[in-house]
Amino acid sequence: MVKLELDQVVMRRMREDDIEIVKALIKEGCEGTENRLILHVLTRPLSLFILAILSSILRCIVHSFILALAIPVFLLIVFLKITMPRSTGVLGTSRPYWDYVGSSYRGTQEETLPNPYTRISGKTPVIKKQRRRIRPKEKEKEMPPEKIDPEREQAAGQVWVADCDGEIVGCVCREMEKRAGIRKICRVVVGCWYRREGLGRLLVQSLEQKEREAGAHRVYAHVPYPSKVGEAFFRKLGYQQLGEGTEREEEEEKLETPERGFLGFPLTKVFYKDV
């Protein structure tokens, strides 16, 4: 684990040059999430009941107990791999993650999130520009920048990266504004070498402060269903799981629902916080 100086972290909007790094960071942070979601769905009582029925039918056809058990499970896993939203394990949003990440660097202005640690320490964080090595052949193959219309840009949401001494060490992703005063955090990822240093908390709380100043009054966060770490993280930040509060939340549950997969099983847990 590398000691991270939080007062030297700059939380800025993702740029075009950051896209591949952020994709790799998200992929690393979500490693194994999809498999855990599939295991969660397979072990539900209704799924087990359906698998038992299919196995009983196949037992009379293939005359092999092992094949009768393995074939339905294999087919269901393939079906879940194909039909499960790719974004559920990546960002927790129904939008394709490639469009979400690929569009969110827009906004060439140097937007940053507030970092309270800089006020405490009195230090001024410095961003070192990353050097990109391009070979002569790669220069010839470079394609012109993709044209992104304002509607797609608005629908893409925002990705904020934590930049420390020119290295991206984490990111927080916010979905598009679907309702006035409501924001939705889709994913919080911290590099494996910088975890348990308070960076994830800093990213979320700084984003909350910015959205509160912009007029938001509630923030939602979707956490992959089997993720106990993600659930504990947001609870420590003051979030509550939807459905554990008052009767008023019944109306909110109709507007903000978890991602669902095979047979309607929930794939994410919804947490909220009033800011």
Side-chain angles (χ1 to χ4, degrees), residues 5-232:
E5 299 293 338
L6 294 179
D7 58 345
Q8 292 299 305
V9 175
V10 177
M11 291 161 291
R12 57 172 177 80
R13 283 288 294 274
M14 182 177 67
R15 305 190 188 109
E16 184 175 7
D17 293 341
D18 302 328
I19 292 177
E20 295 304 321
I21 299 175
V22 171
K23 283 183 179 180
L25 186 66
I26 291 174
K27 183 178 180 181
E28 175 192 322
C30 301
E31 187 177 2
T33 299
E34 186 179 71
N35 292 334
R36 288 194 293 270
L37 285 171
I38 291 176
L39 181 61
H40 165 72
V41 172
L42 288 176
T43 54
R44 298 306 93 194
L46 184 56
S47 297
L48 293 174
F49 178 70
I50 293 175
L51 289 173
I53 294 176
L54 293 176
S55 296
S56 300
I57 296 173
L58 285 174
R59 180 69 178 84
C60 302
I61 300 175
V62 299
H63 302 289
S64 172
F65 180 74
I66 296 177
L67 287 177
L69 286 177
I71 291 176
V73 174
F74 174 77
L75 292 177
L76 183 54
I77 290 175
V78 172
F79 174 78
L80 292 174
K81 284 280 188 180
I82 296 173
T83 59
M84 181 177 291
R86 298 274 72 77
S87 56
T88 300
V90 179
L91 293 176
T93 172
S94 57
R95 293 195 57 77
Y97 87 94
W98 59 266
D99 184 59
Y100 185 89
V101 175
S103 303
S104 300
Y105 70 89
R106 303 287 292 184
T108 54
Q109 66 275 20
E110 294 294 328
E111 291 184 90
T112 59
L113 294 177
N115 186 341
Y117 289 94
T118 59
R119 293 195 299 268
I120 297 174
S121 65
K123 298 179 181 179
T124 302
V126 178
I127 304 178
K128 291 185 178 179
K129 294 184 179 180
Q130 297 176 348
R131 295 182 179 179
R132 186 182 177 186
R133 298 179 179 177
I134 302 178
R135 298 177 183 177
K137 293 183 179 180
E138 292 178 346
K139 287 184 178 180
E140 297 176 0
K141 296 180 180 179
E142 279 189 343
M143 300 296 292
E146 182 183 4
K147 184 178 179 180
I148 301 176
D149 56 74
E151 292 183 0
R152 180 183 170 189
E153 181 180 347
Q154 176 65 23
Q158 298 177 358
V159 174
W160 299 85
V161 299
D163 189 313
C164 183
D165 198 23
E167 179 184 1
I168 295 178
V169 296
C171 67
V172 58
C173 311
R174 178 181 73 75
E175 203 180 45
M176 64 176 290
E177 301 175 18
K178 295 181 179 179
R179 290 180 284 160
I182 302 295
R183 303 292 186 269
K184 175 181 172 181
I185 296 175
C186 301
R187 197 67 180 173
V188 181
V189 181
V190 175
C192 61
W193 291 101
Y194 302 96
R195 292 171 186 169
R196 299 186 182 277
E197 295 286 332
L199 180 59
R201 181 178 66 251
L202 176 62
L203 281 166
V204 173
Q205 291 179 338
S206 297
L207 181 60
E208 289 173 356
Q209 180 179 338
K210 182 181 184 299
E211 298 301 342
R212 181 171 61 250
E213 294 172 353
H217 59 83
R218 172 168 287 193
V219 177
Y220 285 97
H222 283 237
V223 178
Y225 203 92
S227 177
K228 300 298 181 182
V229 175
E231 180 177 345

